[in-house]
Amino acid sequence: MMTPFRTSLKYVTKESLILHRSLSSSSSASLSSLTKQKPKTNNDANFQPLLDTFGRRHDYLRISLTERCNLRCLYCMPEEGVQLSPKSNLLNNEEIYRMANLFVHRFGTKKIRFTGGEPLIRNDIIDIIQNVSKLKSNGLEKISITTNGILFARYSSMLRQAGLDSVNISLDTLNSDRFQLITRRNGLAKVIKSIEAALRDDYDSVKINFVPIQGLNDDEIEDFIQLTKDSNLEIRFIEYMPFDGNRWHPDKMISFKQLINRIQSRFNVERLPLRTIHDTAVLYQVQGYVGTIGFINSMTNAFCAGCNRVRLTADGHLKVCLFGKDELSLKQAIHNGLNDDEIDVLIREAVKRKKKQHSGALNIAKDNTNRPMILIDQRKFLSTLSSSSNDKNFTHIDPNDGQVKMVNVGEKSSTRRIARARARIEIGSDVMNKIEYNQIGKGNVLTVAKIAGIMAAKSTSNLIPLCHQCPLDRVDVQFHLDYSNEEIIVESICETTWKTGVEMEALMAVSIASLTIYDMCKALNKSIVIRDCCLMAKTGGKSGDFNRV
Ligand code: SAM
Ligand code: SF4
């Protein structure tokens, strides 16, 4: 039997205990040196709100400071990182300030958030914040940052003094092994120190961004909510979004509805009113707790109607919608020597092209989750198979002496024959995650298992005494990670144009592929079970077709 370790294990680490203790006692001491500037109203002669054709006013600018990152979160970046733009293509400190200045003076931008990549790996980050914070005398109200927290503790007080108002720190687990699995790097203790530093330095708000993913960290949702008991933190649950190559799958996304039902069954929570009409977070609070819980439901509830934000990418492209493909290169505009009036016109035109709403994140996700061709082939293949029939002749028994024999197929004609087999491996979702994200010490499990399965099919006649050596036209082995049942489904297809069928070859392929997975993962889970190894379908040959219903 498989161990239900995902739900029974409680991840309480030294780090999480320190965090809890420290958060519980965090003071609200303010930095005496910090002089909060009261925002002034924009009185620039060129000021005109940045409106789209639906009357939405855009006064929130998100600036990505870099494409680089010191982590490699599974849901965000491939292990090898992303293709980086040459440094000369990125906005430099001066250009960032010029754009921020233009947005504040001309469009009345009230809030700027710096993000990335990891914004704190820029060594001019303090200068950037300091420069941009000068715009507070012209109507800019708030400067925020979203960081992974690896470096934040080091800079926290300097950033606060430079004019940073609020911070979002991304953290998806309190367990250091799991942190390593999710981010592909070490550093949980640093992130925890950063949260402590942010609370100590009296930021206007300290939010923790948490992306709940089925089978990865969903068992820590309650632990994160507990952090709001004594600390003025907001835990933000962000629906897992599909990005190019981040292996998003609908089964892994936990929707707001699922989350809130679960939370309501365990905590006495009340809904809080929206802070502004632009608020993207739905807010709740556990009764009697100090902090709050926010939900960013980008996947299940588009907040297009109140959208007030535009984005500037690190290479200087303006994006008017996170899910839209339209981009305007402001870096190019700067490079071409356009003045602020001309850039102003370009930006207004781009915003005028903004659609009323995007086509729905779930629809957009379908682009990324199209069934691979091989599975379409398999479905087509299955539908061509008809009903089963049983072979009543014992062809492997010699009628003369009752002994086993290898059938003489010399007189048989060659026909096209296909067989498909399947096995299930109960292995547990933690090991599945490690397999999926190639975190198993012995190597890439699915690739090795696939090769093993194909070679096994080709070696069938060497291992199964009465099997003929059959020329194979095709062998394929596929794996489906079924997180809801915590099992891997292994499927094979074998095809030949010959005198005997390929059922044994297909069964060999799934058996050996399954045993290979077992072998490579047995150190992580001793209770792996391989079961239901069976023929799913066959077609061709005298014995007729078979289709397991
Ligand atoms: N490196 C910084 C950090 O991690 O906070 C800032 C950049 S990161 C892209 C900004 C936020 O996007 C993080 O809170 C991260 O959790 C979130 N994020 C990244 N990929 C996501 C995805 N596929 N679905 C939902 N949120 C995601
Ligand atoms: Fe880096 Fe942030 Fe993406 Fe993680 S979520 S890889 S920390 S940019």
Side-chain angles (χ1 to χ4, degrees):
M1 270 298 293
M2 180 184 54
T3 325
F5 51 85
R6 182 163 65 83
T7 44
S8 66
L9 247 188
K10 209 75 191 119
Y11 293 103
V12 178
T13 58
K14 198 169 104 225
E15 291 94 335
S16 67
L17 284 174
I18 295 168
L19 172 69
H20 194 74
R21 234 181 291 130
S22 139
L23 297 186
S24 308
S25 61
S26 74
S27 74
S28 58
S30 61
L31 287 178
S32 53
S33 56
L34 186 76
T35 46
K36 284 191 185 166
Q37 290 166 287
K38 202 172 181 304
K40 291 192 183 146
T41 336
N42 191 309
N43 50 11
D44 197 286
N46 295 309
F47 168 69
Q48 239 187 6
L50 189 58
L51 294 172
D52 65 9
T53 51
F54 307 97
R56 289 173 296 198
R57 181 176 172 157
H58 294 76
D59 54 11
Y60 178 8
L61 174 65
R62 293 171 75 105
I63 303 179
S64 171
L65 290 180
T66 174
E67 298 162 339
R68 292 175 188 273
C69 189
N70 44 3
L71 298 182
R72 290 282 181 280
C73 302
L74 299 173
Y75 52 72
C76 175
M77 272 207 197
E79 185 154 21
E80 63 282 8
V82 289
Q83 175 87 43
L84 298 171
S85 311
K87 201 167 174 216
S88 56
N89 287 7
L90 304 181
L91 291 177
N92 59 35
N93 186 339
E94 214 174 279
E95 290 163 340
I96 289 167
Y97 183 65
R98 178 170 167 198
M99 287 303 107
N101 187 49
L102 189 143
F103 270 80
V104 171
H105 278 90
R106 291 172 176 253
F107 308 143
T109 292
K110 293 203 175 79
K111 180 172 170 184
I112 294 181
R113 174 176 297 278
F114 292 107
T115 176
E118 174 49 36
L120 294 184
I121 62 176
R122 270 187 85 130
N123 52 20
D124 51 359
I125 184 70
I126 306 286
D127 291 344
I128 292 173
I129 301 289
Q130 223 157 25
N131 271 339
V132 169
S133 105
K134 291 180 196 147
L135 298 171
K136 286 185 179 168
S137 55
N138 268 86
L140 179 65
E141 292 174 5
K142 192 168 174 180
I143 305 176
S144 316
I145 205 164
T146 304
T147 168
N148 61 29
I150 294 289
L151 298 169
F152 185 81
R154 195 189 291 174
Y155 294 122
S156 177
S157 46
M158 284 185 280
L159 286 167
R160 187 68 174 122
Q161 301 215 24
L164 186 68
D165 298 293
S166 64
V167 56
N168 286 30
I169 297 178
S170 305
L171 181 63
D172 304 299
T173 179
L174 295 172
N175 172 269
S176 43
D177 289 342
R178 198 178 272 183
F179 183 91
Q180 217 272 338
L181 170 72
I182 296 175
T183 65
R184 300 190 182 104
R185 299 285 186 275
N186 290 316
L188 176 62
K190 288 183 183 153
V191 181
I192 288 170
K193 279 209 173 85
S194 290
I195 298 172
E196 292 168 355
L199 287 165
R200 178 200 66 213
D201 290 341
D202 195 30
Y203 280 91
D204 291 354
S205 68
V206 181
K207 297 173 187 166
I208 309 294
N209 287 2
F210 178 99
V211 182
I213 299 182
Q214 194 71 47
L216 185 64
N217 61 355
D218 57 308
D219 56 345
E220 295 191 61
I221 290 165
E222 286 77 12
D223 293 346
F224 272 74
I225 292 177
Q226 279 302 346
L227 297 178
T228 67
K229 186 162 189 249
D230 302 304
S231 302
N232 193 10
L233 284 172
E234 182 176 314
I235 305 296
R236 301 205 124 189
F237 293 105
I238 306 176
E239 282 179 348
Y240 179 25
M241 292 182 279
F243 293 129
D244 214 9
N246 77 345
R247 307 193 196 197
W248 183 90
H249 190 275
D251 290 351
K252 291 195 205 167
M253 188 196 85
I254 305 179
S255 67
F256 164 65
K257 242 187 183 160
Q258 291 167 311
L259 263 179
I260 194 66
N261 284 342
R262 172 173 162 171
I263 291 169
Q264 277 171 333
S265 72
R266 295 173 203 192
F267 295 93
N268 194 1
V269 283
E270 59 178 348
R271 176 123 186 218
L272 303 179
L274 284 182
R275 286 179 282 227
T276 72
I277 58 152
H278 306 300
D279 220 343
T280 45
V282 179
L283 282 183
Y284 283 80
Q285 187 169 38
V286 179
Q287 276 186 8
Y289 282 21
V290 177
T292 52
I293 317 167
F295 298 88
I296 309 288
N297 309 324
S298 332
M299 293 301 294
T300 57
N301 186 16
F303 24 75
C304 303
C307 182
N308 66 335
R309 58 189 63 188
V310 291
R311 294 178 156 77
L312 199 49
T313 63
D315 62 354
H317 284 83
L318 182 78
K319 271 178 87 81
V320 295
C321 173
L322 173 64
F323 291 107
K325 288 189 178 136
D326 290 348
E327 292 187 357
L328 163 71
S329 176
L330 296 181
K331 175 85 185 175
Q332 192 63 44
I334 296 170
H335 183 79
N336 292 348
L338 270 61
N339 64 30
D340 281 2
D341 287 341
E342 290 163 326
I343 295 179
D344 177 321
V345 171
L346 285 179
I347 294 173
R348 288 186 196 281
E349 281 172 357
V351 170
K352 288 256 155 58
R353 289 194 294 272
K354 181 162 173 167
K355 299 199 176 87
K356 188 171 180 191
Q357 56 192 57
H358 59 69
S359 58
L362 283 168
N363 285 331
I364 292 162
K366 282 183 192 148
D367 285 351
N368 290 357
T369 54
N370 264 341
R371 198 174 266 271
M373 275 311 287
I374 177 66
L375 294 181
I376 295 168
D377 278 356
Q378 284 178 7
R379 279 196 309 187
K380 226 196 274 167
F381 156 59
L382 264 181
S383 68
T384 64
L385 299 178
S386 55
S387 61
S388 69
S389 80
N390 294 321
D391 191 351
K392 305 283 187 314
N393 299 322
F394 300 110
T395 53
H396 290 82
I397 307 283
D398 189 323
N400 299 319
D401 59 9
Q403 298 294 307
V404 287
K405 71 168 171 81
M406 195 166 166
V407 178
N408 182 347
V409 294
E411 299 298 312
K412 285 176 123 183
S413 54
S414 291
T415 55
R416 186 161 175 262
R417 295 150 188 264
I418 305 172
R420 179 172 169 262
R422 173 187 288 175
R424 296 173 188 279
I425 312 173
E426 292 178 353
I427 196 164
S429 57
D430 278 13
V431 182
M432 279 163 65
N433 261 304
K434 290 200 165 84
I435 291 174
E436 181 168 13
Y437 297 110
N438 202 6
Q439 302 277 320
I440 302 284
K442 288 191 174 178
N444 189 320
V445 174
L446 299 185
T447 304
V448 176
K450 183 175 179 126
I451 294 168
I454 293 170
M455 292 185 61
K458 294 200 288 187
S459 308
T460 304
S461 66
N462 294 331
L463 294 167
I464 308 293
L466 304 182
C467 265
H468 291 85
Q469 199 169 11
C470 155
L472 287 164
D473 296 333
R474 172 163 82 120
V475 182
D476 193 20
V477 182
Q478 292 288 321
F479 306 95
H480 169 64
L481 304 187
D482 177 358
Y483 280 93
S484 46
N485 293 311
E486 304 199 23
E487 63 185 20
I488 299 178
I489 297 165
V490 185
E491 288 191 317
S492 71
I493 285 186
C494 290
E495 193 173 332
T496 185
T497 313
W498 207 57
K499 301 166 185 208
T500 63
V502 277
E503 299 95 298
M504 289 310 297
E505 282 74 4
L507 285 162
M508 277 294 284
V510 287
S511 305
I512 300 300
S514 302
L515 283 171
T516 304
I517 293 176
Y518 184 100
D519 178 51
M520 293 180 78
C521 302
K522 60 185 187 298
L524 296 172
N525 180 2
K526 294 272 179 293
S527 30
I528 298 172
V529 175
I530 299 174
R531 61 178 178 84
D532 298 345
C533 177
C534 61
L535 180 72
M536 294 305 291
K538 78 169 262 293
T539 186
K542 233 169 80 184
S543 67
D545 294 347
F546 165 78
N547 196 5
R548 189 177 296 276
V549 212

